Amino acid sequence: MSKLVAKSLAQEQQEQKMEAGTSMKRIAGLTVGGITIAVLAVLGAVALYAQSQDNDKYSLKSPSGIAFSDFRGYEDWSVVSSARTEAPLPEEILKVIVANPVMINAFKAGVPGNGQTFPDGSMIVKLQWKPKKSMEAPFAVDVPDVFSQAFVMEKDSKRFQKSGGWGYAVFNYDPASDKFTADAKSPSDCGYACHTPVKAKDYIFHPYQKR
């Protein structure tokens, strides 16, 4: 009789252990599931915020009607060249010049050095940063610090006949608000006078650099 009681108690303890283990697994599963849902929610919120920022940016138009949305995706366009202006003209600025696939293909085909002009639909963007001294490099080097402006050009020979077929616009960036605004002083020919000295190169200063 005592053996049966002992066996029964042992079975009961084993069952309790099994139930406890099952409960722990359920709790662990719920915890992992809850964390996963929380992470996905955060990622979703970040994606929606980024999309909202893009929508705000691409809703802008210059005073002459050049839409920032025409240049959608410029963040991933190929680099044409880079440049740097020194103070006080108007200040020290680091620049990276990028172009859309239409213009990159034209560059690679030899435009404008072959005497041809860039086709309609060509777009080029000059991205501008204020520089700073690198605190990490073991040598003296300037690196981009605060992004300040996107200067854009698009080719439409019918729309921009008075400015060599190119339309110009400036979109300024304010890091404090993380917002872009259309420069109120940038009519569609705002860069025409500056680019006239390179009229023979279809008004484009920077060649597609060897790489």
Side-chain angles (χ1 to χ4, degrees), residues 88-104:
L89 296 173
E91 60 182 340
E92 194 171 4
I93 299 173
L94 295 179
K95 306 176 182 181
V96 174
I97 297 90
V98 301
N100 71 344
V102 173
M103 193 162 183
I104 291 294

Side-chain angles (χ1 to χ4, degrees), residues 49-112:
Y49 175 77
Q51 184 178 6
S52 173
Q53 293 297 93
D54 277 350
N55 289 339
D56 289 343
K57 175 172 68 176
Y58 288 131
S59 67
L60 298 173
K61 286 188 177 183
S62 73
S64 55
I66 294 177
F68 206 172
S69 59
D70 289 351
F71 302 84
R72 186 182 297 273
Y74 72 87
E75 301 92 340
D76 300 317
W77 288 356
S78 296
V79 173
V80 174
S81 185
S82 63
R84 173 177 175 161
T85 57
E86 296 184 355
L89 296 173
E91 60 182 340
E92 194 171 4
I93 299 173
L94 295 179
K95 306 176 182 181
V96 174
I97 297 90
V98 301
N100 71 344
V102 173
M103 193 162 183
I104 291 294
N105 289 337
F107 270 124
K108 291 181 176 180
V111 178

Side-chain angles (χ1 to χ4, degrees), residues 100-175:
N100 71 344
V102 173
M103 193 162 183
I104 291 294
N105 289 337
F107 270 124
K108 291 181 176 180
V111 178
N114 60 6
Q116 301 296 311
T117 58
F118 291 99
D120 282 3
S122 295
M123 298 182 187
I124 192 166
V125 179
K126 181 171 61 180
L127 305 171
Q128 303 189 162
W129 288 264
K130 294 179 180 179
K132 66 177 181 179
K133 298 292 182 182
S134 172
M135 303 302 292
E136 299 171 332
F139 46 83
V141 60
D142 286 342
V143 295
D145 184 15
V146 178
F147 184 72
S148 59
Q149 188 181 86
F151 174 86
V152 305
M153 296 173 60
E154 64 176 315
K155 185 70 175 287
D156 187 327
S157 55
K158 293 182 179 180
R159 183 180 177 190
F160 306 113
Q161 292 183 28
K162 295 182 179 180
S163 52
W166 291 95
Y168 304 79
V170 176
F171 297 94
N172 297 317
Y173 175 72
D174 175 39

